Structures are given as C-alpha cells and as structure tokens.
Amino acid sequence: MSRETEKITMLHGAGGTVMHDLVKNYVVKYFGGIGNAEVPLEAMDDAAVVGDVVLKSDSHAVKPIFFPGGDIGRIAISGTVNDISCLGAQPYALACGLVLEEGLPISDLERILVSMRQTCIEADVGIVTGDTKVVERGSLGGCIMNVSGIGRRTPALDSNLQVVRKYRSLPTRWLLDSNLVAGDKIILLGTIADHGLAVLSAQQGLTFGSHILSDVKPLNRMIQRFLGEVGGTVAIKDPTRGGVADALNEWAEKSRVGILIQEDRVPIRQDVQTACEMLGLDPLEVGNEGKVLIGVVPEMAEQALAFLKQTPEGKDAQIIGEATAQFKGVAMQTLVGGKRIIARPVGDPVPRIC
Amino acid sequence: MSRETEKITMLHGAGGTVMHDLVKNYVVKYFGGIGNAEVPLEAMDDAAVVGDVVLKSDSHAVKPIFFPGGDIGRIAISGTVNDISCLGAQPYALACGLVLEEGLPISDLERILVSMRQTCIEADVGIVTGDTKVVERGSLGGCIMNVSGIGRRTPALDSNLQVVRKYRSLPTRWLLDSNLVAGDKIILLGTIADHGLAVLSAQQGLTFGSHILSDVKPLNRMIQRFLGEVGGTVAIKDPTRGGVADALNEWAEKSRVGILIQEDRVPIRQDVQTACEMLGLDPLEVGNEGKVLIGVVPEMAEQALAFLKQTPEGKDAQIIGEATAQFKGVAMQTLVGGKRIIARPVGDPVPRIC
C-alpha cells in the first residue's frame, strides 16, 4: 500500500507492531532530537525524566484540523508553551497525547507532525514523551490532541519582578491573573480576532474579501526577552476562547479591580472588523492565538510598549486601557462617546476554535 | 432544568460563563484541595507551579466509559500514576485535559469526577491544573481525557538501586525497559486479563458465568514501599494495551535479552481463563490495569516475592520467568511441554481498552 493512501486503523493504537511502527516511523521521526532529556522520546520508555517546575496541560479539538495560517498541531504546541509563558516561566519539556480517528490519512498525520516539529523548533522546546490512541470514525474531524508541558522560572522573570518591586509590593513570585492593582496599564500585543475568523472561514467555507490568517505562534522566547530587558510586568494572559472580553473579565474578577479599555486603542485589522460586522460577531469575544494581554506597572508602560513594538509579534501592540478602582468589571470607552460594559461572553461565537 | 437531565452542550467548552460554571461547580469541586501547589487548581490560573522531575502524559478513550470495576477517570489517574511509578519515581502532581461529548449527562460527568477524586486520594497525588473541551456528538462514548503528571525520585528508589549495585553495575539511576540482563527474575504482580475481559464484557454485553471486574488501581504507594523495603529491582512495566506479551517483548528488545516464562506460573483466574478460551483470546495479549511486571536481580527475587505477596495488590504475585542469554525474544515453557514463542501481538484483542 502506498504511504499516501494508507490510513489510520484501530490497530495503530492497539499497542502492537502496527502502533509501534507508527510511533517509530512518524512520531519519533518528527518529534525526536529536539530538546534534552535524561530519558528522551527516542528511549520510548514509560515516561520522560526532566528537570523542574511549572506544569500545564491543554487539549485541542480545533475543527477543521487545517485552517488558514495553521493547524491543530501548531495550536497545541503554541497553546501550552504560551500558557506556561503567561506565568513568566520558560517551558522546557512537552508531552503529547494524540487521539487519532480511524480513517485519518497518514499524510495528514504526517503534515501535522511536521508542523509540530517546526513549532517546537521555533519555541526551542522539545516533546519528550507521549501517547497515541485511536478512536472510531466520528465527529472529531480527524484528530484531537493534548499537549502538556513543564516550565521553570528564569533570571528574566526574577529581573522583571525586581523592577515591579521598585514601585510596589507583589505577594507572589509569578505572573498571575490576580496581580493587577488600580493604575496598572494593559497592553494588547496585536490585532484581535484573526484566529477565530480564520477558523470560522475554514468551518463555513466563507471568503472574506481578503485572506484572514490565524496568527497562532509560540511567544515564549519573545516574552522572556521582554521580561528580562524591560521589567515591571505583573500579569500576562492569552485571550484564546472567549476572546479579550473573557480574559479581561477573568483579570478583573481575580484581581478585584475594574478594567477600562479604549475602543480606539484596540488593534483590529480592517478586514477582520468588516467580517465581524457582516457576521454579527463582537471581535472582543472571538478567540485569539499568538496574542497576549500584558499588565504592567504604570511607570514602565511606555518602555514596555516601545520594546514590544520593535518585535515581529508586537508590532501592532497598544496600551488599550488600565485597571481602576472606580468600578468593578470591564468597561470600554467607545468611539462614539460613553462607556459600554464588556461582560464575560456566554461563549466564544466560533465553536471548536482551538 | 434539574441537574439530572442537564447535558453538556458546546457552550460548556466555549470559554464563557457556562464553561466557567462547569469548571467551578464540578471540576474544581471534585479535584480541588488534594495535593499541594504554589498556584493550585483553585486559583484557576493558566498553569500550575510545582516542584520537580518525571513527566508523563496519557490519553484515555476506554469505551464504554463505565465498566465492571472501574471507569475512564479511574483508569486515567491510575495510568499516569503507574507509568511514573514504573520508572521508580513518585508522582506528585497531575494535570487533566477533559474532552466531553455534547450530550454527555452531567450526572455521568460528576460520577467520573468523583471517581477521579477518589483515585487521587488513594494515590495521594493531586490534580493541579487542567482544561476542558467539548466536541460534537460522535463516537467517543461520552468523553475521553488526558492525564499528565510529574514525578520525582525518592530515597526509596535510591535505596533500591544501592541493593542492585551490590550485585552488578547499572548505567542509569532510573528503572528502565533496557535494564534487564540475563539471569534477572521476572515477577508478575497478579492475575492477568481481568481488565480487558471486564471491558469486553461491557462492550459486548457478555456475561461470563461469574462477574469479572477490572483491577484498575494506582500502585505508586505500594511500589515505593517495595523499592524502599526490599531493593534489587531494575525494571517495572505495566502490561496495559497488548498485555503481558507486548510488555515482555518490549523488555526483551530494549534490554537485548531473551525472556523465558513458565506457563504454570502465570497467574490467571479460572473464569478469565475460561472466558478467554470461549472467545478465542490469548490472555497474554489482553490488556491489564493495576498490574505490573517487575524485573529483579536474582539474589533478591525470593525476598521481593515474599514482600509483594503480603500486599493486597500483590497477593497473587508469582516469579513467572527470567531473562536469558540463550535466545532473543520471548518464549514460554508450556504446560504440555515444549516452548512456545510469545510474539509481540499485532494488537490488543480488546479495542478501546483504556
């Protein structure tokens, strides 16, 4: 049987030769050799041995598994890497649990594995262990997966917190959702809703005039440089499912502050804005990848923004607002004047977004 | 809507209030408060902060999700805990990625979460972070999940290896599949094929005369006591998918030894044996939970067996064979005389076993 027409069967996950061949010829081939572990993927043992600290697990069920600008594998690696980065830590090892649907073309699997490898190289982090299961043909769209990972604190994080403590106390050594206080500035790394619209277009077969691409990418290296070279950051959050509206409400609630943002400062591409209007979507509620919200002490906000704007990931960054003691929850100063309450969305308007 | 009739919908995984309520009222309710973390599940932050070392990830897609003696949640916790234990490490934090099918009754979810909490308490390890996704109604049988975890080395492991090194050198500080040498004795912790038959009976609606229950359970506490109090163990492996046949072949291949087992020493319940014969299954190829194979230096084998037999988990333990330089691969001295080659199975005869 030629490799292009071979498909995943139940045997591929059944613990015998067929699965072992699949793991050896595909998973190890593409995942192996990145990163450093005492008992690495190549050992194909029961678990991997790594060093230290922050643990994160994220399952991914984006549908379709390929969409403009990315695929499920790129999201899965980036998602876990970025979540670990949001605490200020550096991810240093990942584990991947693949769940493949019977009937998934091996060539599709290979394409995803190649993409994951590439994303790992970008993030400078390796997949050190994993697991593969196969389920009957159903509604998953080919595959879903989980990527977990561990991260460690870095000198850059310590240096960043030293700067914070020049201006105020902070009762933690990590960047947490609960760290904001009134006056903290909120920076958005770039344009919103690109990812959600890209996935929606693939789901619905829509064309939006211009081509909207997902911006999914690992941000850990940029975040570590940012923390080490600027300082003063108290919180970072990636506004994925539920978008910026959900993420800001999470911050406001956990930090017990209000958050006021300025509509005219929220970066959004014109074609994304237009598409959202046509579809009746609030771009603040649409999920993002490759973007983070950053909470920074006011004294360091301009310096932080200037640094970010010089990075490829942050060229469209803006200070979109600040934490306040004037009210609770999240509000937006609108373009037409007046304030609009930004409630926590009931759900992301785009299903199966990541 | 009453709690009994409420079902998981797409909104439960969409990052908004519905999902947040689900996480708060179910996931945190049942998972929280076990274990110890600097940023724990209750913080509902992006990741958890834990201490150190062995990383494992395992996805679980057993179907049906409830079966005699267990459920998918108990398997998921036990699986990751036991895999970490197989290296000789003690698991100390888990992360859980739930993938729920639209239409899963909340009461079923709750039952699984309760079971996971109970299993965590048995293992003395907490779930410190996680993630929930929802997918359209399909063929998953209600839910699948991933549990990843980290473990650390312990004084018990070090003490165990000191005993090994009284008798021979060992080029690693972990228990690995590649650690066996000719002469090492192989202990099987208990009866085989119970789990696979229990799942098969639930899948097929079979009744086997007597009730066969899955033996899925966390073994980490027993293994740590065993390592600390006996010593001399070089490898531990849980013969899940593909059964004892697959696990022994994995050992033989990675350790570059032959393995000879004695048919009359392999523990198996009479009703399991009978059911396997009726169904045409080789019990050596049927998956297990709650059982491990233990490779031990010959000088300590009897002492190891005596210790295990006094534990609830190991009361049926037997020395089933030994590693040998006489041949490669795995062979069995049969009851009727002569040797049978035990090949690596093409696949577990029971699909969706874990």
Side-chain angles (χ1 to χ4, degrees), chain B residues 165-315:
Chain B
R165 292 190 171 111
K166 282 188 203 169
Y167 303 104
R168 65 170 165 98
S169 67
L170 193 70
T172 167
R173 58 191 195 111
W174 301 96
L175 308 184
L176 300 181
D177 290 345
S178 55
N179 282 355
L180 294 175
V181 300
D184 286 342
K185 298 292 183 184
I186 291 164
I187 298 172
L188 181 51
L189 187 64
T191 57
I192 63 169
D194 302 66
H195 174 71
L197 269 285
V199 170
L200 187 67
S201 74
Q203 285 173 353
Q204 308 286 336
L206 300 172
T207 49
F208 293 117
S210 74
H211 207 53
I212 297 172
L213 300 179
S214 170
D215 42 2
V216 54
K217 62 170 73 88
L219 297 172
N220 57 315
R221 299 170 79 167
M222 185 279 288
I223 288 173
Q224 284 298 312
R225 281 197 311 275
F226 170 67
L227 293 175
E229 294 184 27
V230 182
T233 290
V234 296
I236 303 180
K237 193 164 187 68
D238 53 344
T240 53
R241 289 178 293 173
V244 168
D246 192 68
L248 290 179
N249 273 279
E250 192 87 0
W251 267 359
E253 193 180 308
K254 292 186 184 170
S255 291
R256 301 178 187 195
V257 293
I259 293 178
L260 179 66
I261 63 173
Q262 308 293 328
E263 186 170 18
D264 61 355
R265 309 300 292 274
V266 176
I268 184 165
R269 286 164 52 118
Q270 186 54 53
D271 52 0
V272 170
Q273 176 83 56
T274 304
C276 282
E277 281 164 10
M278 285 171 53
L279 295 162
L281 302 177
D282 181 349
L284 288 174
E285 298 189 357
V286 173
N288 306 279
E289 295 284 338
K291 298 291 157 55
V292 284
L293 290 157
I294 300 172
V296 60
V297 297
E299 296 84 351
M300 296 301 295
E302 287 300 335
Q303 202 173 322
L305 181 66
F307 178 95
L308 293 169
K309 278 188 161 297
Q310 290 178 3
T311 67
E313 299 90 345
K315 63 182 165 44

Side-chain angles (χ1 to χ4, degrees), chain B residues 16-67:
Chain B
T17 53
V18 179
M19 190 192 86
H20 281 277
D21 284 351
L22 183 78
V23 171
K24 199 167 62 179
N25 296 334
Y26 292 89
V27 181
V28 174
K29 177 177 172 189
Y30 290 110
F31 290 171
I34 314 172
N36 202 357
E38 199 171 336
V39 183
L41 182 72
E42 290 86 343
M44 289 173 67
D45 223 285
D46 291 305
V49 182
V50 286
D52 211 84
V53 181
V54 176
L55 173 64
K56 174 65 190 175
S57 168
D58 221 342
S59 294
H60 294 275
V62 62
K63 192 176 176 179
I65 56 177
F66 302 103
F67 49 83

Side-chain angles (χ1 to χ4, degrees), chain A residues 10-20 24 38-39 43-61 63 83-84 86-87 92-99 101 128-140 144 146 148-150 153 172-178 236-238 241-242 246 250 253-254 344-348 351-352 354, chain B residues 10-20 24 38-39 43-61 63 83-84 86-87 92-99 101 128-140 144 146 148-150 153 172-178 236-238 241-242 246 250 253-254 344-348 351-352 354:
Chain A
M10 293 306 290
L11 278 176
H12 280 116
T17 53
V18 179
M19 190 191 87
H20 281 276
K24 199 168 62 179
E38 196 171 338
V39 183
M44 288 174 69
D45 222 286
D46 291 305
V49 181
V50 285
D52 211 82
V53 181
V54 176
L55 173 64
K56 173 66 190 175
S57 168
D58 221 344
S59 294
H60 293 275
K63 193 177 176 180
D83 278 345
I84 290 173
C86 283
L87 271 85
Y92 68 99
L94 304 177
C96 178
L98 292 171
V99 179
E101 246 181 7
V128 293
T129 186
D131 158 72
T132 301
K133 293 282 190 304
V134 178
V135 297
E136 297 90 342
R137 201 182 294 258
S139 62
L140 297 183
I144 64 176
N146 178 283
S148 56
I150 48 177
R153 64 183 304 108
T172 167
R173 59 191 194 111
W174 300 96
L175 309 184
L176 300 182
D177 291 345
S178 55
I236 303 180
K237 195 167 185 66
D238 54 342
R241 289 178 294 173
D246 192 68
E250 191 88 0
E253 192 180 307
K254 292 186 184 170
R344 193 190 279 273
V346 176
D348 199 296
R352 300 281 296 268
C354 62
Chain B
M10 291 308 290
L11 279 175
H12 280 118
T17 53
V18 179
M19 190 192 86
H20 281 277
K24 199 167 62 179
E38 199 171 336
V39 183
M44 289 173 67
D45 223 285
D46 291 305
V49 182
V50 286
D52 211 84
V53 181
V54 176
L55 173 64
K56 174 65 190 175
S57 168
D58 221 342
S59 294
H60 294 275
K63 192 176 176 179
D83 277 345
I84 290 173
C86 283
L87 271 85
Y92 67 99
L94 304 177
C96 176
L98 292 171
V99 178
E101 245 181 8
V128 294
T129 186
D131 158 74
T132 302
K133 292 282 190 302
V134 178
V135 297
E136 296 91 341
R137 201 182 294 258
S139 62
L140 297 183
I144 64 176
N146 178 284
S148 55
I150 49 177
R153 66 183 301 108
T172 167
R173 58 191 195 111
W174 301 96
L175 308 184
L176 300 181
D177 290 345
S178 55
I236 303 180
K237 193 164 187 68
D238 53 344
R241 289 178 293 173
D246 192 68
E250 192 87 0
E253 193 180 308
K254 292 186 184 170
R344 193 190 279 275
V346 176
D348 200 296
R352 299 282 295 270
C354 62

Side-chain angles (χ1 to χ4, degrees), chain B residues 140-162:
Chain B
L140 297 183
C143 77
I144 64 176
M145 66 177 70
N146 178 284
V147 170
S148 55
I150 49 177
R152 57 164 75 96
R153 66 183 301 108
T154 63
L157 175 57
D158 289 330
S159 151
N160 170 76
L161 294 180
Q162 275 180 5

